Amino acid sequence: MNRKPSSPSDRRTRVTVLVALAANLVIAVAKAVGGLFAGSPALLSEAAHSVADSLNEVFLLAALRRSRRPADNRHPFGYGKERFFWSLLAAVGIFLMGGCFSFFQGFEALGSETSESRSGYVAGLVVLVVALFAEGGSLLRAVRQVQKQGGFSSEIRDPALRTVIAEDGTAVLGVLLAIAGMALHMVTGQVVYEASASIAIGCLLVYVAYRLGRDARDQLIGQATDEESSNRIRALLDAQPEIDSVESLLTMQLGPDSTLVAARVDLTPGLDSEEVELVAVRIKASVRNLVPQVDQIFLDVTDARLARRAAAQEAAHENGPAATGERGGT
């Protein structure tokens, strides 16, 4: 099946996801070995976190590939929403594999009296420090890509990039929590600190999974584009001399770089069919130049006065004698 060529943004996102995947695979193995050697619940929780992140990166790579399929008869607006679907699966993966396992490790550690050897503590802390640098490097690359695309002041439209930012940021915080828990356990001999760190990591993962899942859900069911872009499109339509009024303006995100715009406009009287067609072509081109991610534009030309008159007549008919049960005549 032919696919649309990758945009520069897509290629950068793919490299960012691949870097995160490589880092998470190496770190997951190191954390798992270190956690089993040290008997550390916090380190094992972090290993589960890295496994979940690795699986999620595979989901995101699938999303990047599948979303480039061209539109067809069954999907006339393309496959851009594939990214939202796979991002939702990634959120579920973070919740189930990361959050739930971290809770299990934390509560299990609270009921145990096992103690770690000093060599176990040292090995675990070394693994966590290495993981901190690896996760930090992956996060730094993702942050740089966001800055090239407008920075954090604007919405991150690509769900794959948004998920990598969330995963790597959470991973850095999780490693810091695990380091703190292991260090306090080593100093005090109380496993409660390490168990608490594991439970805190679980809470962090569940929260991130909820936020990512909520965003993916909103986009899957048809989220409008950002308010700034909508206002700019409405202002452009209002400024057209051939448009008397903009009766309604609807937008929907079809993908990171794909937006649908549907507008019902009332044109000035006196335009013939050829002039209306030329005006529509010019307006669509102007909207695309103003907001480049808009690639589906539909203009519904209507007569606002006739529409309001028809609505009033319909309302009067609904509230007339037949609606109230009264009967006319003498």
Side-chain angles (χ1 to χ4, degrees), residues 199-247:
I199 294 172
I201 292 169
C203 292
L204 182 63
L205 292 174
V206 168
Y207 173 73
V208 170
Y210 163 73
R211 290 294 302 269
L212 290 174
R214 186 186 66 178
D215 291 343
R217 178 207 63 186
D218 290 343
Q219 291 169 319
L220 277 173
I221 63 179
Q223 185 176 17
T225 190
D226 60 279
E227 186 176 357
E228 179 184 358
S229 296
S230 294
N231 291 338
R232 292 168 63 192
I233 294 172
R234 181 177 285 275
L236 184 147
L237 295 177
D238 286 332
Q240 303 302 311
E242 296 87 359
I243 296 180
D244 265 349
S245 63
V246 180
E247 298 300 313

Side-chain angles (χ1 to χ4, degrees), residues 12-328:
R12 288 192 296 268
T13 299
R14 188 181 305 108
V15 173
T16 298
V17 174
L18 287 171
V19 168
L21 175 60
N24 280 317
L25 286 174
V26 174
I27 294 168
V29 173
K31 287 177 181 177
V33 173
L36 293 173
F37 176 74
S40 167
L43 196 51
L44 289 174
S45 296
E46 274 299 296
H49 180 184
S50 295
V51 170
D53 285 352
S54 300
L55 181 61
N56 293 338
E57 259 88 58
V58 175
F59 287 160
L60 298 179
L61 289 173
L64 290 171
R65 179 177 176 80
R66 293 176 64 86
S67 65
R68 295 199 313 273
R69 291 183 294 175
D72 53 32
N73 291 334
R74 293 190 63 187
H75 299 87
F77 294 110
Y79 289 81
K81 288 193 176 186
E82 284 267 12
R83 297 203 189 187
F84 308 146
F85 169 73
W86 290 97
S87 295
L88 180 61
L89 291 186
V92 174
I94 292 174
F95 176 80
L96 292 178
M97 297 184 62
C100 294
F101 185 79
S102 296
F103 283 129
F104 170 76
Q105 284 293 318
F107 287 115
E108 185 182 48
L110 287 175
S112 68
E113 297 295 334
T114 57
S115 60
E116 302 170 28
S117 64
R118 187 169 185 83
S119 60
Y121 285 121
V122 173
L125 289 172
V126 168
V127 169
L128 287 174
V129 170
V130 172
L132 181 62
F133 281 101
E135 299 283 13
S138 178
L139 176 62
L140 183 61
R141 175 182 172 81
V143 168
R144 286 177 175 172
Q145 183 177 343
V146 171
Q147 290 175 339
K148 290 179 181 179
Q149 296 179 359
F152 289 94
S153 58
S154 60
E155 182 183 0
I156 304 176
R157 292 194 302 272
D158 191 339
L161 181 58
R162 184 168 60 240
T163 302
V164 171
I165 287 284
E167 286 181 349
D168 288 345
T170 305
V172 170
L173 290 176
V175 169
L176 292 175
L177 286 171
I179 289 174
M182 287 193 70
L184 289 172
H185 188 186
M186 181 175 64
V187 172
T188 65
Q190 300 294 320
V191 73
V192 65
Y193 292 107
E194 199 166 345
S196 298
S198 183
I199 294 172
I201 292 169
C203 292
L204 182 63
L205 292 174
V206 168
Y207 173 73
V208 170
Y210 163 73
R211 290 294 302 269
L212 290 174
R214 186 186 66 178
D215 291 343
R217 178 207 63 186
D218 290 343
Q219 291 169 319
L220 277 173
I221 63 179
Q223 185 176 17
T225 190
D226 60 279
E227 186 176 357
E228 179 184 358
S229 296
S230 294
N231 291 338
R232 292 168 63 192
I233 294 172
R234 181 177 285 275
L236 184 147
L237 295 177
D238 286 332
Q240 303 302 311
E242 296 87 359
I243 296 180
D244 265 349
S245 63
V246 180
E247 298 300 313
S248 65
L249 176 64
L250 306 176
T251 65
M252 184 171 64
Q253 294 181 7
L254 302 176
D257 298 309
S258 178
T259 300
L260 180 147
V261 173
R264 181 175 291 112
V265 297
D266 180 23
L267 297 181
T268 57
L271 298 176
D272 59 33
S273 59
E274 184 176 353
E275 290 173 324
V276 169
E277 184 176 352
L278 292 175
V279 167
V281 171
R282 191 192 73 235
I283 291 175
K284 290 180 180 181
S286 299
V287 171
R288 289 192 180 97
N289 290 332
L290 180 68
V291 185
Q293 64 264 29
V294 173
D295 57 352
Q296 301 285 347
I297 306 174
F298 298 91
L299 295 178
D300 179 16
V301 178
T302 185
D303 189 323
R305 291 170 297 179
L306 291 178
R308 284 192 289 267
R309 186 181 305 168
Q313 290 175 348
E314 183 178 355
H317 176 73
E318 291 177 353
N319 296 325
T324 60
E326 297 176 4
R327 306 181 69 178

